[in-house]
Amino acid sequence: MFVPKINNFEYLTNISNELPYQHWFDHAPVGMFITNSKGKYVAVNNLFAQILGYKSSDDFLANYQTANYYFYVEPNRFTYFLELLNKNQKVFKFESQVYKRDGSMIWLTENVNPIYDHQGELIGYEGVIEDITERKEKELEMENNLFRLQELCEIKSKFVSMVSHEFRGGLSVILSSSDMLKVYGEKLADTQKQKHFDKINHQVEELTDLLEDLLQFGKIEASKDNLQQEDIDLENFCQEVMEDIGHINKKGNPIILNNHSGVRTILGDRLMMKRMVINLLYNAVKYSPDQGKIEFNVSDHRAEIMFQICDEGIGIPESEIANLYTSFYRCKNTGKIAGTGLGLSIVKKIVDLHQGNISVESTLGKGTTFTVSLPV
Ligand code: ADP
């Protein structure tokens, strides 16, 4: 850029006055700067200053002395920058997230070249910067979309193999029991016949559960960008949930509702919220011994509503808690208790869609408490 004109350090420090290319420097479509060999800024153009949130080059030079670590958002970025500069004597297309004067963050690309005097002594650096925030944000968005797409593909293939496996297993049990009834029906004792009817019933129930979970999972994926938010009457909501869980609580575990909330209405997608609480209550029933007590506690704190589902069931191994919300994940201690591993991932999706939070506390063999908190 200015290399032919520079012959000593004096010149560098006076560059903004003596520059024959002053007009070009001031009006360049990119931010430009010159530092001494220690990284102290000696000249910057107005665009450089403005990109970083300063009024003008004078404003920048009066307030900002030397290129430093605090400029970059990523802690090791400046060290890496210096390493590249030492190794290659220049830095090209160095893209980083940096802080502006007001603390906000932008993305920059930097090109930096060293300046030498006639004796070959390094006397400074010259460089250009460009604000690439818009492009970078688009790139990040595309990366996220790609990641989600890959995740979806992975889920889909797990879906297909799991569903086919479950259906094949379930249908073959149904088929063999119905064959037994058809072929040996008249010879079988009533108790044996009943056993086969029970098997068929049980398998049909499990396959229906699986279909229900799959349908819910698909629905939530599809309605992600289209929440049907409405004011939900909390009292009614809790009653409806209790009725619904009553129908599926086959073991007849006592479920106690404690609504201590002073909040009358909450904002959310009613059907999704119901699915969320029912899934948690259903798990509480499923993983509890017969007659194990279950509590459904509702309370509010500041601007949040809290749903807490406590059981006295098998508990969750601590090492597996991190995986609970992954689709199809089932803990090792579930034994013969049937399930699809989809219920909690549906719950998590619904909680996220409502900008809420879910946590779990559990002791093996003693019980589990899931707490969902949502903004009112
Ligand atoms: P599943 O259909 O297997 O119940 P979920 O996604 O609902 O699938 O739950 C994932 C796993 O988390 C379960 O397989 C079980 O191991 C564990 N889990 C969930 N809720 C409870 C609970 N209340 N008590 C013990 N374990 C639970």
Side-chain angles (χ1 to χ4, degrees), residues 81-142:
F81 175 87
L82 294 178
E83 270 171 24
L84 284 180
L85 203 56
N86 280 337
K87 195 167 135 212
N88 307 327
Q89 269 71 59
K90 64 177 181 183
V91 172
F92 185 59
K93 287 192 180 169
F94 190 74
E95 296 187 354
S96 329
Q97 207 175 13
V98 305
Y99 291 111
K100 285 176 64 162
R101 184 185 206 170
D102 62 2
S104 58
M105 291 178 268
I106 54 167
W107 281 92
L108 282 189
T109 179
E110 294 175 77
N111 291 342
V112 180
N113 285 313
I115 312 170
Y116 300 102
D117 64 11
H118 284 325
Q119 279 79 46
E121 277 290 307
L122 176 76
I123 55 170
Y125 296 96
E126 57 177 13
V128 293
I129 63 165
E130 270 181 86
D131 184 345
I132 53 163
T133 310
E134 208 175 303
R135 164 168 68 79
K136 210 68 193 170
E137 277 172 358
K138 277 195 187 126
E139 271 174 24
L140 287 177
E141 200 186 316
M142 271 164 67

Side-chain angles (χ1 to χ4, degrees), residues 8-256:
N8 57 33
F9 181 72
E10 279 291 285
Y11 187 85
L12 254 188
T13 50
N14 292 324
I15 200 149
S16 51
N17 301 325
E18 297 176 21
L19 201 66
Y21 298 114
Q22 189 67 54
H23 182 82
W24 175 57
F25 183 73
D26 285 345
H27 296 95
V30 287
M32 297 172 112
F33 67 88
I34 296 179
T35 70
N36 68 15
S37 58
K38 303 265 187 307
K40 181 177 172 11
Y41 289 98
V42 290
V44 303
N45 68 358
N46 279 335
L47 187 55
F48 178 95
Q50 281 152 10
I51 287 175
L52 296 176
Y54 293 81
K55 279 194 220 102
S56 61
S57 53
D58 289 343
D59 185 23
F60 179 84
L61 291 172
N63 288 292
Y64 205 107
Q65 269 87 46
T66 310
N68 63 51
Y69 293 89
Y70 307 114
F71 182 56
Y72 296 98
V73 174
E74 196 188 303
N76 295 326
R77 199 69 185 152
F78 191 57
T79 313
Y80 182 51
F81 175 87
L82 294 178
E83 270 171 24
L84 284 180
L85 203 56
N86 280 337
K87 195 167 135 212
N88 307 327
Q89 269 71 59
K90 64 177 181 183
V91 172
F92 185 59
K93 287 192 180 169
F94 190 74
E95 296 187 354
S96 329
Q97 207 175 13
V98 305
Y99 291 111
K100 285 176 64 162
R101 184 185 206 170
D102 62 2
S104 58
M105 291 178 268
I106 54 167
W107 281 92
L108 282 189
T109 179
E110 294 175 77
N111 291 342
V112 180
N113 285 313
I115 312 170
Y116 300 102
D117 64 11
H118 284 325
Q119 279 79 46
E121 277 290 307
L122 176 76
I123 55 170
Y125 296 96
E126 57 177 13
V128 293
I129 63 165
E130 270 181 86
D131 184 345
I132 53 163
T133 310
E134 208 175 303
R135 164 168 68 79
K136 210 68 193 170
E137 277 172 358
K138 277 195 187 126
E139 271 174 24
L140 287 177
E141 200 186 316
M142 271 164 67
E143 259 172 43
N144 278 343
N145 285 346
L146 197 70
F147 180 73
R148 254 192 76 198
L149 212 67
Q150 278 168 345
E151 211 181 35
L152 270 181
C153 286
E154 213 172 290
I155 289 177
K156 280 221 171 91
S157 61
K158 276 195 204 161
F159 237 79
V160 173
S161 67
M162 193 276 253
V163 173
S164 24
H165 178 258
E166 292 293 317
F167 268 83
R168 196 179 299 132
L171 291 175
S172 73
V173 173
I174 293 172
L175 194 66
S176 83
S177 280
S178 66
D179 274 352
M180 290 293 281
L181 288 166
K182 192 170 143 196
V183 179
Y184 303 107
E186 286 175 5
K187 292 185 197 145
L188 290 175
D190 281 353
T191 49
Q192 282 173 313
K193 277 191 204 163
Q194 194 53 47
K195 241 167 104 182
H196 287 296
F197 283 127
D198 288 347
K199 265 190 183 174
I200 293 174
N201 260 342
H202 180 71
Q203 285 304 325
V204 170
E205 271 172 18
E206 280 195 3
L207 291 180
T208 314
D209 275 357
L210 173 61
L211 267 182
E212 181 61 25
D213 277 356
L214 290 174
L215 277 174
Q216 284 304 326
F217 197 83
K219 261 192 203 159
I220 287 161
E221 272 301 317
S223 59
K224 255 187 166 170
D225 303 319
N226 188 21
L227 268 191
Q228 305 285 318
Q229 301 249 38
E230 61 179 291
D231 279 333
I232 304 167
D233 183 297
L234 194 58
E235 189 66 45
N236 276 350
F237 174 79
C238 293
Q239 289 309 329
E240 280 179 30
V241 165
M242 291 300 284
E243 269 172 37
D244 288 2
I245 192 69
H247 296 310
I248 43 182
N249 178 11
K250 296 272 159 58
K251 291 195 296 181
N253 290 62
I255 303 179
I256 299 142

Side-chain angles (χ1 to χ4, degrees), residues 283-284 286-287 311 314-316 324 329-331 334 339-345 368 370:
N283 276 351
K286 201 161 67 170
Y287 298 108
D311 65 53
I314 60 171
I316 298 170
L324 282 185
Y329 189 85
R330 307 205 66 221
C331 300
T334 47
T340 60
L342 279 174
L344 283 184
S345 65
T368 302
F370 278 94

